[in-house]
Amino acid sequence: MKFQALFSLLLLTCMYQSLAQGSYSNCCLGHVQRMRAKAKTNIESYWMQETDGDCYIRAVVFLMKKKPSHIKQKTVCANPNDSWVQELIRAVDMQVQN
């Protein structure tokens, strides 16, 4: 009986650790300093990453247009306080409105 309880506790602990480690998979861990002009034209949309929850830095996450040869959609993380990022956000917003 003690072995079953110990085994169950160990199993739950391992599962908790794996879930906690996987929570950062969708977070930006750093910012790019600049982006090439060609890359800027391939931005499809963006979203804001806040520091609440699992992520520890604020970032603008730009979603790039998905190429047919790629499995996952590429993302680029940028500092929302940078002036070039704010200009790019305005340009994407204007493009979505049209």
Side-chain angles (χ1 to χ4, degrees), residues 45-74:
S45 62
Y46 70 92
W47 57 275
M48 296 294 293
Q49 171 183 293
E50 298 296 337
T51 55
D52 58 349
D54 296 333
C55 305
Y56 69 92
I57 63 169
R58 283 191 75 226
V60 178
V61 182
F62 292 108
L63 299 169
M64 309 305 278
K65 292 178 184 173
K66 188 173 181 288
K67 294 182 180 180
S69 61
H70 291 130
I71 296 171
K72 292 176 72 176
Q73 188 172 25
K74 184 177 178 183

